[in-house]
Amino acid sequence: MDFDYNLKNIKESIVKAKQAGAVVRLGPELEVTGYGCEDHFLELDTVTHAWESLKEILVGDWTDGILCSIGMPIIKGSERYNCQVLCMNRKIIMIRPKMRLANGDSFMEFRYFKPWPQKDQLLDFQLPSEISEATAQKSAPFGYGYIQFLDAAVAAEVCKELFSRFPPHDDLGQNGVEVFLNASGSPHQLRKAIGFRLRALIGVTRSLGGVYMYSNHRGCDGGRLYYDGCSCVVVNGEVVALGSQFSLKDVEVVLAQVDLDAVAAKRGSSSSFLEEPSGKTRIPSLAVPYKLCQTFNLKMPISNPIKMTPCSPEEEIASGPACWLWDYLRRSEASGFLLPLSGAVNSSAVAAIVGSMCQLVVKEIANGDEQVKADAIRIGCYTDEQFPTDSKEFAKRIFYTVFMESENSSEAMKQQAKAMADDIGSRHLDVSVDSVVSALLSVFQTVTGKKPRNKVDGGSDAENRGLKNIQARTRMTLASTLASLLPWVHNKSGFFLVLSSSSVDEQLSGQLTKYGCSSGDINPIGSFNKKDIQAFLRWAATNLGYSSLAKVEAASQNLDAKEIVMTSEELSVLGKWRKTFRCGPVSMFQNLCHKWGSTSGLNPSEVADKVKNFFNYYSINRHKMTVLTPSYQAESYAPDDNRSDLRQFLYNTRWFRQFQKIDELASELDSNKIDNDIIIITEPSDREIPVASG
């Protein structure tokens, strides 16, 4: 929704593209408004401001001699469409509405837009009066089609359409389109960028032939998602240009010089083109009497295939949330971060991610990024032309860590927290919460006449739980107090953002205190599981230079064996089957009987106990998800009910029908253990399939 800033970035990218000699410039999906505007798309103002931005581009020389594909929302009739506006030489050549909308998980495009239904014609769209008056253009073609230049055919394929069941590129390729423009809004997920997106682009162009340009947002767009770039150009199954996945830069232009003769040669030898089906779909086209291509020129060498080196999951955890935190920090007008640092796995991981952010800031400044430098000077309160040159020095200015000890705190954990703070460079405080807890208990005793006791002192479970919750909520109240007043103590303006450090495992199982230590302003690790976090800590100890992480007391894989009887890894599996695969208790039990029976040797009764325990604790603690701290989203099974998990928070936690059915199935399976036939499928030279019975 920052139209001026978005417009500045669009203009900068066009200028860089033209300076490099490019004749086609592709921006990401809905770049004029931002992809994550959500219900702002339902406001007429949003569409009006988008047209205002486009007008400013059209009346200048930005599109002279270059085809620009610009993403924005457009209303036709009374319906909103997610569109790519293809402009050149100060005119709109075509408006291409999206036909396959993203829906589910973190996406709700059907709430804001309508998919374009017509594939057989281009309609005439009357342009807004302010556009007509400024450009003298009254209307533009609107719909699904391609642009036929004198020497090349170009078409748009928007984001999810690439992955749809009947992707447009198949028909477009058969109609002679050589250059595909995909404007995308694809967020970061662990292990996704190279393994999913790029493989799809490589596969499409390897079989179809062609030049595929892919442009993606990068950065925090105002919500829980981080868009991770990887803009690229792929030719005939080879990646010839690839942008960075994680960066603090506002604008990055990925450039390639391609040979369209190579596309013609590949298609000329392809059976799918030589044996063209008689029922080929004819796609509407628009002829433009203009040449895009240049003649053979040694000064403009053809881009060669590049070697892709995917980030490890540990590198993704170090970089994605760090970039997201930087965007949040600089745009929120905050003065820095404050983290309750216990010295355990989760809070240590968050501290390391903030340290990674500080390292990235210093690196980008050293590389000459003036925007990062200006933001860092403002946030760090540098004067006399000074700026960050050392990540630890920068961390000391913008990052506070606090160890909040109680009478039960471990001295080893206290020292571990201090060592971690020293590694990163944060300002560190040791604060006792005992006096605050005692004051609250004194008030409680005055009001009720009773004093609760810990379980070790003879107290009940209710007393013990209540006392633990008082400590947790006291810590968060104290953290919020420090975050609001510490800038004042140091004569700085603004406030600190309180960082939460609960993992997806704790959220799924409810192992967190509502309004307690899990609360805060934002949570960088809220969608990572414990296993990935522990792997990240081992990696960061060496690769980020935080040697103290090697001494972090790794939390047991069992979160609380006495209560929920499952490991962190099992929780991850249960979470994915519940959310990603849409399983209720019974279907989850049936699937996991196969999975865990073969891999872990669990019998049906043991699987039943785990599934029932999971759903019991999930539903008992579901109300906590309604106030869950906004988390960086990088997994598909996050339980955050504000975005990714739209289920109720009031349950009958006994699950009578479901658990009864599970018990019946488990009892039947346990009492009728049958040796199933084992079918072994191989691929020998004679193509026979041996079957072993037993």
Side-chain angles (χ1 to χ4, degrees):
M1 294 296 291
D2 192 344
F3 290 91
D4 289 342
Y5 204 76
N6 293 345
L7 179 59
K8 179 186 79 69
N9 291 340
I10 292 170
K11 288 179 177 179
E12 183 181 339
S13 72
I14 294 174
V15 168
K16 289 183 176 180
K18 293 175 73 172
Q19 288 174 344
V23 294
V24 180
R25 178 268 178 197
L26 169 68
E29 186 177 13
L30 294 168
E31 62 179 322
V32 174
T33 59
Y35 181 83
C37 297
E38 300 190 328
D39 277 10
H40 283 297
F41 284 127
L42 303 177
E43 301 167 0
L44 289 174
D45 281 6
T46 303
V47 179
T48 300
H49 294 321
W51 280 115
E52 292 168 352
S53 295
L54 184 64
K55 182 181 76 171
E56 190 167 335
I57 293 171
L58 290 172
V59 298
D61 62 357
W62 312 102
T63 63
D64 289 355
I66 185 169
L67 175 66
C68 294
S69 181
I70 299 172
M72 59 180 276
I74 289 177
I75 296 176
K76 178 175 172 53
S78 59
E79 296 162 336
R80 287 173 177 79
Y81 295 96
N82 176 349
C83 297
Q84 286 301 117
V85 182
L86 290 94
C87 311
M88 191 173 191
N89 295 330
R90 311 191 188 199
K91 295 183 74 68
I92 298 174
I93 297 178
M94 178 187 293
I95 301 174
R96 165 67 156 85
K98 190 174 182 179
M99 297 187 296
R100 304 283 189 273
L101 301 183
N103 206 46
D105 294 332
S106 298
F107 305 101
M108 295 185 286
E109 286 190 20
F110 278 99
R111 181 179 174 92
Y112 322 118
F113 302 113
K114 181 178 179 180
W116 181 248
Q118 300 183 40
K119 297 181 64 175
D120 58 351
Q121 61 179 321
L122 288 169
L123 305 180
D124 196 49
F125 176 78
Q126 183 175 345
L127 297 172
S129 57
E130 60 268 27
I131 299 293
S132 299
E133 292 168 2
T135 65
Q137 183 179 0
K138 304 298 182 183
S139 63
F142 186 103
Y144 172 54
Y146 65 93
I147 303 173
Q148 181 64 65
F149 290 94
L150 294 175
D151 50 5
V154 181
E157 182 172 65
V158 188
C159 197
K160 187 185 177 181
E161 293 174 353
L162 165 66
F163 307 104
S164 61
R165 186 177 177 188
F166 301 106
H169 58 249
D170 285 342
D171 287 336
L172 289 167
Q174 290 288 351
N175 279 263
V177 172
E178 300 149 297
V179 181
F180 303 91
L181 312 178
N182 191 309
S184 184
S186 184
H188 173 228
Q189 284 189 358
L190 281 182
R191 307 170 178 90
K192 171 183 174 182
I194 302 296
F196 181 67
R197 288 195 216 121
L198 282 178
R199 284 182 184 174
L201 299 176
I202 290 169
V204 166
T205 56
R206 179 173 291 154
S207 61
L208 185 65
V211 177
Y212 209 104
M213 299 172 61
Y214 174 86
S215 178
N216 189 26
H217 288 282
R218 192 183 58 215
C220 170
D221 196 24
R224 294 160 171 80
L225 302 175
Y226 176 81
Y227 298 85
D228 62 338
C230 289
S231 298
C232 61
V233 180
V234 185
V235 181
N236 291 348
E238 301 280 3
V239 179
V240 298
L242 178 63
S244 54
Q245 184 176 13
F246 306 109
S247 173
L248 304 184
K249 294 180 184 294
D250 282 336
V251 178
E252 181 182 31
V253 177
V254 178
L255 297 158
Q257 178 86 356
V258 301
D259 180 9
L260 291 187
D261 286 348
V263 176
K266 180 175 180 60
R267 289 181 174 179
S269 60
S270 170
S271 60
S272 63
F273 284 88
L274 294 173
E275 302 172 7
E276 181 181 299
S278 58
K280 179 183 73 173
T281 303
R282 296 295 176 182
I283 307 299
S285 64
L286 183 69
V288 176
Y290 186 91
K291 284 189 175 182
L292 282 182
C293 300
Q294 300 177 4
T295 56
F296 180 75
N297 187 346
L298 289 177
K299 294 182 179 179
M300 300 287 286
I302 301 300
S303 300
N304 291 317
I306 62 175
K307 182 179 180 181
M308 295 182 296
T309 306
C311 290
S312 67
E314 294 78 20
E315 291 175 284
E316 292 184 69
I317 295 173
S319 301
C323 293
W324 183 76
L325 283 177
W326 177 246
D327 277 348
Y328 202 106
L329 178 61
R330 69 190 182 112
R331 289 164 56 186
S332 67
E333 304 291 328
S335 305
F337 298 115
L338 184 140
L339 171 68
L341 181 59
S342 69
V345 169
N346 286 357
S347 62
S348 294
V350 172
I353 288 170
V354 177
S356 175
M357 183 202 78
C358 294
Q359 292 185 20
L360 286 172
V361 168
V362 170
K363 179 181 178 181
E364 290 290 353
I365 292 174
N367 290 336
D369 193 309
E370 292 299 323
Q371 182 61 58
V372 173
K373 182 178 178 180
D375 288 330
I377 289 173
R378 172 179 57 83
I379 296 169
C381 297
Y382 288 89
T383 58
D384 301 325
E385 298 184 351
Q386 293 182 323
F387 56 86
T389 57
D390 178 80
S391 63
K392 288 188 176 182
E393 187 275 334
F394 184 55
K396 193 175 186 65
R397 289 173 176 260
I398 60 105
F399 188 31
Y400 251 105
T401 51
V402 187
F403 182 80
M404 300 182 185
E405 61 182 319
S406 68
E407 59 184 3
N408 300 317
S409 296
S410 159
E411 181 64 26
M413 297 300 283
K414 180 179 178 179
Q415 294 305 316
Q416 177 60 42
K418 179 64 168 63
M420 184 67 198
D422 289 342
D423 272 355
I424 294 170
S426 64
R427 289 179 182 265
H428 188 69
L429 296 175
D430 289 324
V431 180
S432 174
V433 301
D434 287 340
S435 59
V436 183
V437 173
S438 296
L440 288 171
L441 289 175
S442 178
V443 172
F444 178 84
Q445 188 172 3
T446 300
V447 172
T448 66
K450 291 189 175 183
K451 183 177 181 179
R453 296 173 298 169
N454 288 304
K455 196 166 186 178
V456 295
D457 299 322
S460 64
D461 287 336
E463 291 173 82
N464 196 66
R465 184 167 55 251
L467 289 170
K468 287 171 62 177
N469 288 345
I470 289 174
Q471 283 195 358
R473 289 176 177 137
T474 297
R475 287 188 170 101
M476 188 45 58
T477 301
L478 182 56
S480 299
T481 302
L482 292 170
S484 62
L485 291 176
L486 279 174
W488 168 75
V489 170
H490 297 287
N491 297 314
K492 294 177 64 175
S493 61
F495 57 93
F496 288 140
L497 293 162
V498 179
L499 298 179
S500 174
S501 55
S502 59
S503 68
V504 69
D505 303 321
E506 292 166 337
Q507 296 167 11
L508 279 168
S509 60
Q511 301 295 293
L512 50 86
T513 300
K514 193 174 185 179
Y515 306 122
C517 296
S518 60
S519 298
D521 293 307
I522 48 178
N523 182 358
I525 63 166
S527 65
F528 299 119
N529 62 52
K530 188 79 73 176
K531 183 178 179 181
D532 283 335
I533 291 172
Q534 290 171 324
F536 162 68
L537 291 180
R538 291 191 293 270
W539 177 89
T542 300
N543 293 276
L544 294 181
Y546 302 145
S547 58
S548 62
L549 289 177
K551 300 177 183 178
V552 172
E553 296 179 9
S556 169
Q557 286 293 321
N558 288 324
L559 291 180
D560 193 337
K562 293 182 180 179
E563 289 192 20
I564 59 175
V565 200
M566 64 191 73
T567 67
S568 175
E569 188 171 352
E570 288 170 343
L571 271 173
S572 299
V573 172
L574 291 160
K576 288 176 182 177
W577 282 96
R578 175 195 63 85
K579 176 68 170 61
T580 308
F581 304 130
R582 273 79 177 177
C583 283
V586 176
S587 56
M588 184 186 292
F589 164 76
Q590 292 172 322
N591 280 287
L592 292 181
C593 275
H594 288 289
K595 179 177 177 64
W596 284 343
S598 60
T599 61
S600 303
L602 297 179
N603 62 45
S605 293
E606 291 171 324
V607 175
D609 287 342
K610 290 183 182 294
V611 171
K612 290 190 295 181
N613 269 297
F614 169 74
F615 274 98
N616 179 250
Y617 277 90
Y618 168 78
S619 55
I620 285 174
N621 294 289
R622 179 65 182 155
H623 63 97
K624 298 177 183 179
M625 301 304 102
T626 64
V627 295
L628 198 65
T629 300
S631 300
Y632 180 93
Q633 293 297 301
E635 287 283 11
S636 61
Y637 65 99
D640 179 355
D641 95 326
N642 291 281
R643 282 295 181 276
S644 46
D645 192 3
L646 303 181
R647 291 169 172 82
Q648 71 266 35
F649 61 86
L650 177 61
Y651 280 91
N652 184 330
T653 58
R654 294 185 179 89
W655 299 81
F656 287 108
R657 174 72 63 83
Q658 296 92 331
F659 287 2
Q660 181 183 18
K661 182 70 174 178
I662 288 175
D663 289 339
E664 291 173 356
L665 289 171
S667 177
E668 181 180 345
L669 290 170
D670 282 337
S671 61
N672 295 287
K673 293 181 179 178
I674 302 173
D675 289 333
N676 295 318
D677 285 349
I678 303 172
I679 301 178
I680 304 173
I681 301 178
T682 63
E683 192 170 314
S685 57
D686 58 2
R687 305 293 295 170
E688 291 182 355
I689 301 178
V691 178
S693 297

